[in-house]
Amino acid sequence: EEKTRETRPFVPIGMVRLSTGLSLLLSLSFTQVSSRCSIQTTRSSPEILGWRSKGLRSRGLGHRGVTQRESWKVGSARYNAEQQAPVSKSKTSSKETTNSGYKKISALEQAKAVGVAGTMTALSYSDSVPVPIRLLLLTYMIWSSAEYLFHRYAMHAPYNSWGDKCLRNYNRLHMAHHGETNEDMTMREGFNPHGIYFSYKTSAISMLAGALLLTAASEATNIDASLVTILSSTVLTSIIYGLFWNRFHADSHEVKLEYNDGLPALDFLKFDNKIAEWLLANHVGHHDVKGVGNYNIVLPGADHVFGTYYER
Ligand SMILES: [Zn+2]
Ligand SMILES: [Zn+2]
Ligand SMILES: [Zn+2]
């Protein structure tokens, strides 16, 4: 007789995992950043070889070549959201091209990106594709979309909107980051270094959110990955992502940071290839268009799909 029905647990295991993860995520998100940290800030010339001289910015200062060893103290490393003056939402320019030549992609380019995303989705549903590849596809799509959505709807949420209300600390910190960035991507004196890197707490939040989304996606695609598979791949992804982000973002703003409350910006992670050049042009564009596009930073894709990618 059919016994499989009786052995099925009353509450599906996926639901148990999802709700456990969700409550962990919520409790972590609502705790304030309270870790005391020491941060050493140094201005440095870009590790990414001569990107200025390659004409990424028309109004840039040109490659300095000399490392300015100017450090300054960060008084209280604790970030206080209330002290941060709200930066008014940047107005979307009616022009499609900015002064430095960043231009929105065409509808055709966007349609191609939608096609690629559709193919990736179809492959992740297909039984004839090996499970590790399906998981890899899902992981990329999840992390690229999450990077996009969080940056667009939380960090750039309009002042006092729901996204701003729920994730005010991230929003204020990031609005300050835009305000503190000079036109040539260097940082103003006295900038808040927390706007440059992921703290351990932020990495933990990204890891939990990633695990939740991958659980949901693996249920939806009938991969039925084990908890061990999901957790180990997500831990690995969040560490790689955090290391890459912390190194890349500091580099694009020409600062060197040493801190004890986040994954380090490792020196040996050198990015002086075509991919790094592309990513850099992408993030320079994000600051150039005043945060109305190029929300992806290290995992491109979602911007193209949503039609908010600007290129030169
Ligand atoms: Zn800190
Ligand atoms: Zn930036
Ligand atoms: Zn931004």
Side-chain angles (χ1 to χ4, degrees):
E1 300 278 20
E2 277 217 27
K3 274 197 174 164
T4 43
R5 260 173 196 282
E6 288 165 46
T7 52
R8 270 182 77 117
F10 181 65
V11 182
I13 192 75
M15 290 301 276
V16 178
R17 284 181 196 165
L18 283 175
S19 47
T20 310
L22 200 62
S23 36
L24 269 170
L25 182 64
L26 286 174
S27 47
L28 196 61
S29 304
F30 285 110
T31 51
Q32 296 298 303
V33 180
S34 59
S35 62
R36 269 156 199 259
C37 50
S38 63
I39 308 174
Q40 173 77 26
T41 311
T42 317
R43 275 187 197 156
S44 74
S45 53
E47 297 281 342
I48 301 164
L49 292 174
W51 63 272
R52 282 180 197 288
S53 54
K54 284 177 185 155
L56 280 170
R57 282 202 65 97
S58 49
R59 288 172 292 166
L61 298 172
H63 194 287
R64 282 196 206 91
V66 187
T67 305
Q68 296 177 25
R69 287 228 152 261
E70 184 189 331
S71 351
W72 57 90
K73 277 197 193 102
V74 181
S76 161
R78 188 185 286 221
Y79 172 64
N80 187 347
E82 302 308 315
Q83 287 172 355
Q84 216 61 245
V87 177
S88 60
K89 195 194 165 198
S90 50
K91 287 184 187 73
T92 315
S93 167
S94 53
K95 287 187 298 179
E96 292 288 280
T97 312
T98 68
N99 290 338
S100 358
Y102 274 95
K103 207 166 91 219
K104 212 178 202 172
I105 46 162
S106 65
L108 181 68
E109 291 294 311
Q110 186 185 359
K112 279 187 209 162
V114 172
V116 172
T119 309
M120 285 169 80
T121 309
L123 288 172
S124 65
Y125 269 91
S126 163
D127 282 333
S128 48
V129 177
V131 168
I133 292 180
R134 292 166 73 186
L135 281 172
L136 211 66
L137 289 169
L138 288 172
T139 301
Y140 192 90
M141 289 190 286
I142 287 169
W143 283 75
S144 177
S145 321
E147 179 180 69
Y148 181 90
L149 295 171
F150 191 78
H151 193 177
R152 180 171 184 178
Y153 294 106
M155 294 174 130
H156 282 278
Y159 185 61
N160 255 347
S161 67
W162 279 107
D164 174 29
K165 278 184 180 135
C166 297
L167 293 149
R168 179 156 289 184
N169 280 359
Y170 283 105
N171 181 284
R172 295 294 189 273
L173 187 58
H174 193 67
M175 287 297 103
H177 170 63
H178 275 266
E180 292 158 355
T181 302
N182 296 316
E183 276 201 351
D184 65 352
M185 290 295 277
T186 59
M187 300 307 294
R188 301 225 161 101
E189 182 103 24
F191 73 96
N192 187 343
H194 283 117
I196 303 281
Y197 68 95
F198 266 40
S199 65
Y200 284 129
K201 187 193 161 187
T202 304
S203 286
I205 289 175
S206 77
M207 194 181 81
L208 269 173
L212 275 171
L213 292 167
L214 190 60
T215 305
S218 109
E219 297 275 314
T221 53
N222 285 320
I223 291 177
D224 289 329
S226 70
L227 191 59
V228 175
T229 307
I230 290 194
L231 286 183
S232 52
S233 73
T234 308
V235 168
L236 196 69
T237 308
S238 62
I239 291 173
I240 294 171
Y241 181 86
L243 286 172
F244 196 67
W245 211 97
N246 286 357
R247 180 72 166 92
F248 178 77
H249 196 220
D251 244 21
S252 24
H253 290 288
E254 293 189 23
V255 286
K256 227 177 170 65
L257 301 175
E258 280 169 64
Y259 42 81
N260 60 0
D261 65 336
L263 289 164
L266 297 170
D267 273 337
F268 68 83
L269 287 178
K270 294 242 183 217
F271 310 117
D272 50 0
N273 52 33
K274 284 275 165 221
I275 298 169
E277 217 175 282
W278 188 92
L279 288 174
L280 195 57
N282 174 66
H283 190 60
V284 170
H286 174 66
H287 283 277
D288 193 73
V289 302
K290 309 251 181 299
V292 299
N294 292 13
Y295 296 104
N296 283 122
I297 291 154
V298 296
L299 299 173
D303 267 308
H304 293 74
V305 171
F306 292 102
T308 50
Y309 175 60
Y310 286 77
E311 64 186 348
R312 274 181 61 148

